[in-house]
Amino acid sequence: MRIARDLPTLRHALDDLGPVALVPTMGALHPGHLSLLAAARREVGEAGTLVASIFVNPLQFGPGEDFSRYPRQEEADLDRLREAGCDLAWLPGVEAMYPPDRATTIQVEGPAEGWEGAARPGHFRGVATVCAKLFLQTGARVAAFGEKDWQQLQVIRRMVRDLDLPVRILPCPTLREADGLAMSSRNRYLDPEARSRAAALPGAMRAAIEAMARGTSPAAALATARAGLAAAGLALDYLALVEPESLCEVEAPPGRLIAAARLGAVRLLDNMPA
Ligand code: AMP
């Protein structure tokens, strides 16, 4: 596996390699990330080039968010990437990604506006900007994204469509722990007691979806879920049934049930088809 930390090295490394499938990450890799690598490899085959980027993107963190304490474990991540058959690890420094006098960012409207966009102003501007740069830097034909971050996936798809970026976005299903909690690099910050309560989020979501399928009104099903989550000690930011691509709220299924809840210092995100 080659490693590039600056653009000239990246370009040189890509010169003699086949079509690129990219998996953008912020590191602290877990099996969810590895499933994206496997899906990306299937898309380009052995003749293609599997590139993983690890970049904790300062532009997508707001003031007071966890940029400085976001987990960083480069050596362990590189071992995982090697084991996963990654051809090239792209580990840009902040200075390689953002010239100090940069003047350009990408602002997506529509699906980027509510939910995470409202809770974290500027977040999706940072995500869209870094993803556009990663696509252009690597010349990726395919880029894999997790459904775990549903709104992010829709924002990236919309950006790619609107800007005619020559990359195909490959959505990948959410990998979960045995109790249903969606895997996330931030889960390590849950203390054992909080960790044991965290699965209440997917549990309440699943129960609400099943109740709606049995004919319970969406309003009643979501109210029951909200009460259950409060009882489990989760501070809900939002729980909403939305149209899957626009993220606009809908009255009744079919749609996507999306949720964010705070548990101690950790913000849990989840979503499911409903
Ligand atoms: P992150 O490193 O958290 O920015 O995530 C990098 C990529 O991995 C994003 O496309 C995420 O949606 C995806 N991802 C994160 N957690 C999971 C998971 N549990 N299952 C599948 N994909 C995931």
Side-chain angles (χ1 to χ4, degrees):
M1 183 176 77
R2 300 200 214 175
I3 297 175
R5 296 177 190 275
D6 55 55
L7 273 175
T9 311
L10 177 74
R11 296 211 164 110
H12 181 70
L14 287 172
D15 265 352
D16 47 340
L17 295 173
V20 169
L22 172 68
V23 179
T25 82
M26 298 205 300
L29 301 179
H30 55 65
H33 296 114
L34 302 183
S35 75
L36 267 55
L37 284 158
R41 169 61 80 195
R42 283 195 293 277
E43 289 296 308
V44 285
E46 287 307 317
T49 305
L50 184 55
V51 179
S53 61
I54 300 180
F55 182 61
V56 184
N57 174 29
L59 207 58
Q60 73 186 66
F61 288 78
E65 291 187 359
D66 57 351
F67 175 70
S68 55
R69 65 177 197 100
Y70 195 84
R72 289 165 173 87
Q73 45 169 59
E74 186 178 295
E75 280 313 312
D77 283 349
L78 289 174
D79 287 343
R80 280 180 198 159
L81 291 180
R82 283 187 195 98
E83 283 161 23
C86 182
D87 297 306
L88 173 61
W90 170 220
L91 313 179
V94 172
E95 60 300 334
M97 190 60 87
Y98 298 123
D101 61 346
R102 76 175 165 80
T104 309
T105 58
I106 294 183
Q107 175 106 32
V108 180
E109 294 162 10
E113 283 174 354
W115 317 118
E116 288 308 287
R120 306 180 64 188
H123 171 66
F124 284 126
R125 188 171 63 98
V127 170
T129 302
V130 83
C131 287
K133 288 179 65 99
L134 290 166
F135 298 160
L136 295 167
Q137 290 163 348
T138 60
R141 268 194 207 178
V142 180
F145 284 83
E147 291 182 351
K148 156 77 172 37
D149 300 286
W150 184 264
Q151 189 176 9
Q152 167 174 281
L153 172 63
Q154 304 314 318
V155 169
I156 296 300
R157 281 176 142 169
R158 191 69 69 93
M159 172 184 76
V160 164
R161 194 205 65 185
D162 289 353
L163 297 181
D164 306 313
L165 297 179
V167 60
R168 185 160 53 80
I169 302 304
L170 179 68
C172 300
T174 303
L175 252 67
R176 297 178 179 280
E177 305 287 356
D179 65 357
L181 178 66
M183 289 180 184
S184 164
S185 304
R186 290 182 170 104
N187 289 350
R188 69 189 63 197
Y189 292 126
L190 293 166
D191 61 43
E193 201 267 327
R195 174 64 192 81
S196 68
R197 282 186 288 137
L201 182 62
M205 294 172 73
R206 205 156 269 143
I209 291 165
E210 284 165 11
M212 289 188 285
R214 287 194 309 268
T216 307
S217 76
L222 296 188
T224 303
R226 289 191 183 100
L229 291 169
L234 276 75
L236 197 59
D237 273 3
Y238 56 80
L239 173 70
L241 187 63
V242 300
E243 196 283 318
E245 291 182 9
S246 67
L247 280 290
C248 292
E249 219 161 348
V250 293
E251 293 285 316
R256 198 90 192 172
L257 188 62
I258 60 169
R262 278 163 293 119
L263 184 55
V266 178
R267 195 147 176 283
L268 303 173
L269 281 189
D270 209 335
N271 70 88
M272 296 175 188

